[in-house]
Amino acid sequence: MTIRLEQQVEQVANALNSAGLCFGHGTDNAFDEAAWLVLEACELDPSGDEVPWDQVLTARQQASVQALLERRIQTGEPLAYLVNRAWFAGHDFFVDPRAIVPRSHIGEWIPDRFSPWRVERPAASILDLCTGSGCIAVALALAFPEAQIDASDISASALEVAQANVARYEVQERVRLLQGDLFEGLGQARYDLIVCNPPYVSDEIMNTLPGEYRHEPALAFAGGSSGLDFINRLLDQAGDHLTKSGLLVVEAGSARDALEAAWPRTPFTWLMSENGEAVVFAIEATELVSSNHPKT
Ligand SMILES: C[S@@+](CC[C@H](N)C(=O)[O-])C[C@H]1O[C@@H](n2cnc3c(N)ncnc32)[C@H](O)[C@@H]1O
């Protein structure tokens, strides 16, 4: 049967919608995911600006699309894992279930070097805490060519994925991967910039996560009863690891309200994402040391 790429994408989008899947791992709707799926299956460049919508698909391409679509629907796995690829901050990364699929809002500010929050300030040393696949660390290395970057995670498996991405972008001279809990293993080091996309999902929300999320490591999400187990520890300790003019940037996601309630005197600056959400905060080292956790 003759079918053009555009028609194939529409068919796949309908099938994805009917299957009741969740789109939150690189796309946020069935059409975008269908386009990605079809382009990957047809071995066409999914990152290209010019999508060949009128191209007629070969029988082999159509069979590849059906096979990938069936895997996506039957397994419920995020498409990124099925094709071992995800985009983040304008770059594509190797991914597999050892680390979560890159999608942090933080990626929106990396190419512009967190402008205007840290314009003209030195960034000799950067820490990517909770590095997972290494997507933030590598994107930072590419945006801050002058910086040395430490990237840390408690999960040895996630660090294997990070290692693959560091090697892929040939930034191993400037990105050091470390395993440890929070700041463990980093000694007395201080950083000009600390970036962190931590686990922040509360126990209640953990129980309602869609099937796709259950293919990802629970360690990447689980933030305890209010989602703040990790972030509370981070805020208590980050001041000891920032330079005087340092900046901390953290994604708090669904834990934002709980965070503001728990830290009412801390002047978080919430950054507005392209989708209108404000779940990433920035805070200066000076503001951090002068505010205290009220509940400790
Ligand atoms: C939400 S994921 C972020 C991964 C990656 N930075 C990204 O944005 O895609 C959180 C990461 O924190 C790591 N993690 C969880 N608890 C940790 C801890 N106590 N210390 C260090 N890393 C931890 C998990 O292994 C996971 O890779």
Side-chain angles (χ1 to χ4, degrees):
M1 193 180 84
T2 301
I3 186 163
R4 290 182 299 110
L5 188 132
E6 184 178 23
Q7 296 169 307
Q8 182 72 89
V9 169
E10 275 167 19
Q11 282 183 10
V12 169
N14 290 338
L16 292 172
N17 264 330
S18 306
L21 298 169
C22 162
F23 311 108
H25 295 78
T27 66
D28 60 6
N29 63 81
F31 184 86
D32 287 353
E33 178 149 332
W36 178 18
L37 185 155
V38 171
L39 290 165
E40 291 278 6
C42 294
E43 297 181 5
L44 296 168
D45 181 6
S47 62
D49 289 336
E50 293 297 316
V51 177
W53 293 112
D54 290 327
Q55 182 170 321
V56 173
L57 303 189
T58 65
R60 192 160 156 263
Q61 285 175 319
Q62 291 180 49
S64 298
V65 170
Q66 288 314 315
L68 186 53
L69 176 62
E70 271 168 37
R71 281 181 70 206
R72 175 72 178 94
I73 291 173
Q74 278 167 14
T75 65
E77 270 196 73
L79 180 59
Y81 285 161
L82 298 177
V83 299
N84 296 120
R85 192 201 317 239
W87 276 269
F88 180 77
H91 311 287
D92 72 315
F93 290 92
F94 169 79
V95 289
D96 73 18
R98 289 174 292 178
I100 69 160
V101 177
R103 54 185 178 279
S104 169
H105 290 288
I106 291 172
E108 291 177 33
W109 294 283
I110 294 177
D112 285 340
R113 299 165 59 102
F114 296 98
S115 172
W117 290 281
R118 56 161 318 285
V119 188
E120 305 300 330
R121 276 194 250 170
S125 60
I126 302 180
L127 172 63
D128 171 23
L129 206 52
C130 298
T131 195
S133 65
C135 59
I136 291 179
V138 170
L140 287 167
L142 299 173
F144 292 85
E146 73 278 27
Q148 288 293 328
I149 293 161
D150 281 347
S152 178
D153 201 289
I154 202 167
S155 161
S157 311
L159 286 168
E160 289 168 7
V161 178
Q163 180 67 58
N165 285 312
V166 166
R168 177 178 184 157
Y169 282 94
E170 300 183 347
V171 288
Q172 50 273 63
E173 297 290 307
R174 291 190 298 113
V175 179
R176 183 171 68 136
L177 297 173
L178 301 133
Q179 188 184 2
D181 174 17
L182 199 72
F183 291 105
E184 187 185 79
L186 300 170
Q188 304 301 311
R190 285 186 182 265
Y191 300 90
D192 297 315
L193 176 63
I194 298 177
V195 179
C196 182
N197 177 22
Y200 54 67
V201 181
S202 68
D203 291 344
E204 191 183 347
I205 298 178
M206 282 296 286
N207 292 327
T208 65
L209 288 178
E212 277 78 356
Y213 290 71
R214 300 184 193 284
H215 292 275
E216 301 184 278
L219 189 60
F221 300 123
S225 57
S226 61
L228 295 179
D229 283 5
F230 184 97
I231 296 179
N232 281 339
R233 293 171 63 215
L234 171 63
L235 290 173
D236 278 334
Q237 297 177 35
D240 295 335
H241 296 274
L242 284 164
T243 56
K244 276 188 187 139
S245 61
L247 185 74
L248 173 68
V249 178
V250 180
E251 177 161 324
S254 50
R256 174 181 166 161
D257 290 347
L259 178 65
E260 289 188 299
W263 294 75
R265 293 199 298 275
T266 304
F268 300 110
T269 298
W270 294 96
L271 316 189
M272 182 64 75
S273 298
E274 284 162 9
N275 71 353
E277 285 184 66
V279 293
V280 173
F281 69 80
I283 187 163
E284 305 284 346
T286 45
E287 296 170 325
L288 204 49
V289 290
S290 59
S291 66
N292 294 309
H293 191 326
K295 296 190 175 159
T296 55

